[in-house]
């Protein structure tokens, strides 16, 4: 495990390598950011957003929390979405989960963990509603992985239900919301078939006029 001094040495080497390849990179980067993508992912240290999709700094706007949850009371997440949509004008929002997510697995148990139990309640609700489907998935690991997928699908809906995203569609702004999942064991990103680009693709209950 690197110590703190090593992290600074690593940073110096990284910056030097970037500047050697592109001397003006940081000068240009410091003046603007114009990403086309917002990544809403898990805080898990094994899921490095930029590296997974091969994008450089400045090309991917990122929000991360435990188990990639989007709730309508989380002002942090909503502020990120608003800034990305209204000011950066991103064209794609990807909710990205990962197989073997510890937060999702914890939500399927009845152990008391502390403050995080209140956060995981959001996922526990999804588990309760889909208990039969998850139970039929197979082994315990297969059940966790299916829950990881269902969690992503649920959070995609939550993104689309926000007034931020729906007002963007109302303005005619090009914006698609995607649901993806990442495999820790093979490094591969997979689409879950959720790709929403307008309010006609969400239930009427959640549409704003």
């Amino acid at each position: 495990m690197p110590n703190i001094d090593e992290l600074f040495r690593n940073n110096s080497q990284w910056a030097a390598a970037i500047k050697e390849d592109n001397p003006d990179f940081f000068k240009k980067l410091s003046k603007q950011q114009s990403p086309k993508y917002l990544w809403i992912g898990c805080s898990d240290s094994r899921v490095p957003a930029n590296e997974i999709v091969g994008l450089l700094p400045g090309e991917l706007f990122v929000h991360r929390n435990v188990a990639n949850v989007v709730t309508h009371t989380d002002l942090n997440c909503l502020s990120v979405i608003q800034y990305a949509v209204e000011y950066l004008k991103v064209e794609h929002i990807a909710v990205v989960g990962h197989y073997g997510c510890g937060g999702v697995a914890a939500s399927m148990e009845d152990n008391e963990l502390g403050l995080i139990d209140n956060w995981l309640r959001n996922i526990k609700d999804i588990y309760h509603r889909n208990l039969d489907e998850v139970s039929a998935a197979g082994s315990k690991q297969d059940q966790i992985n299916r829950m990881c997928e269902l969690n992503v699908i649920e959070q995609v809906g939550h993104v689309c239900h926000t007034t931020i995203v729906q007002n963007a569609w109302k303005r005619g702004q090009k914006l698609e919301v995607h649901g993806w999942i990442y495999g820790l064991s093979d490094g591969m990103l997979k689409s879950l078939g959720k790709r929403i680009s307008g309010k006609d693709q969400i239930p009427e209950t959640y549409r704003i006029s």
Side-chain angles (χ1 to χ4, degrees):
M1 177 71 69
N3 60 36
I4 294 298
D5 290 337
E6 286 181 273
L7 298 185
F8 281 94
R9 285 195 294 272
N10 291 344
N11 170 251
S12 295
Q13 293 169 3
W14 172 77
I18 293 287
K19 286 186 282 190
E20 182 177 353
D21 184 59
N22 185 350
D24 294 328
F25 179 80
F26 289 111
K27 184 183 296 184
K28 293 177 181 177
L29 186 65
S30 65
K31 293 179 180 178
Q32 66 174 1
Q33 64 167 336
S34 54
K36 296 297 183 185
Y37 311 94
L38 167 60
W39 172 292
I40 300 176
C42 182
S43 299
D44 194 298
S45 61
R46 300 167 294 176
V47 189
N50 282 71
E51 288 88 341
I52 287 173
V53 289
L55 293 178
L56 292 171
E59 296 180 330
L60 185 69
F61 201 58
V62 177
H63 174 76
R64 298 171 70 167
N65 61 51
V66 174
N68 43 273
V69 170
V70 178
T71 69
H72 301 301
T73 55
D74 183 359
L75 297 182
N76 183 357
C77 184
L78 293 179
S79 296
V80 170
I81 295 173
Q82 181 183 19
Y83 187 78
V85 171
E86 297 182 7
Y87 295 93
L88 296 178
K89 306 295 184 185
V90 298
E91 296 180 2
H92 301 273
I93 299 175
V95 178
V96 188
H98 66 92
Y99 291 122
C101 179
V104 171
S107 72
M108 300 167 68
E109 304 292 342
D110 58 3
N111 301 318
E112 183 177 348
L113 300 175
L115 180 63
I116 197 172
D117 291 325
N118 299 281
W119 181 257
L120 295 179
R121 171 63 185 272
N122 297 289
I123 309 174
K124 193 176 287 286
D125 290 342
I126 303 170
Y127 178 50
H128 177 70
R129 292 198 303 271
N130 296 277
L131 188 58
D132 290 343
E133 179 181 347
V134 174
S135 298
S139 69
K140 182 63 175 180
Q141 191 58 53
D142 289 337
Q143 291 181 30
I144 293 171
N145 287 341
R146 181 53 183 154
M147 260 303 298
C148 291
E149 294 176 341
L150 291 172
N151 181 47
V152 168
I153 291 169
E154 181 83 5
Q155 307 313 324
V156 166
H158 290 176
V159 172
C160 295
H161 301 164
T162 64
T163 56
I164 302 162
V165 169
Q166 293 197 46
N167 282 331
W169 287 332
K170 190 189 300 185
R171 293 191 299 269
Q173 186 172 337
K174 179 182 178 182
L175 182 63
E176 292 186 343
V177 184
H178 309 261
W180 301 341
I181 196 156
Y182 175 71
L184 296 174
S185 61
D186 60 9
M188 299 300 296
L189 198 60
K190 170 186 171 183
S191 171
L192 292 175
K194 296 296 289 184
R195 184 173 182 172
I196 302 176
S197 57
K199 70 176 185 179
D200 58 314
Q201 294 174 265
I202 63 177
E204 289 188 18
T205 303
Y206 297 105
R207 299 177 193 173
I208 60 173
S209 57

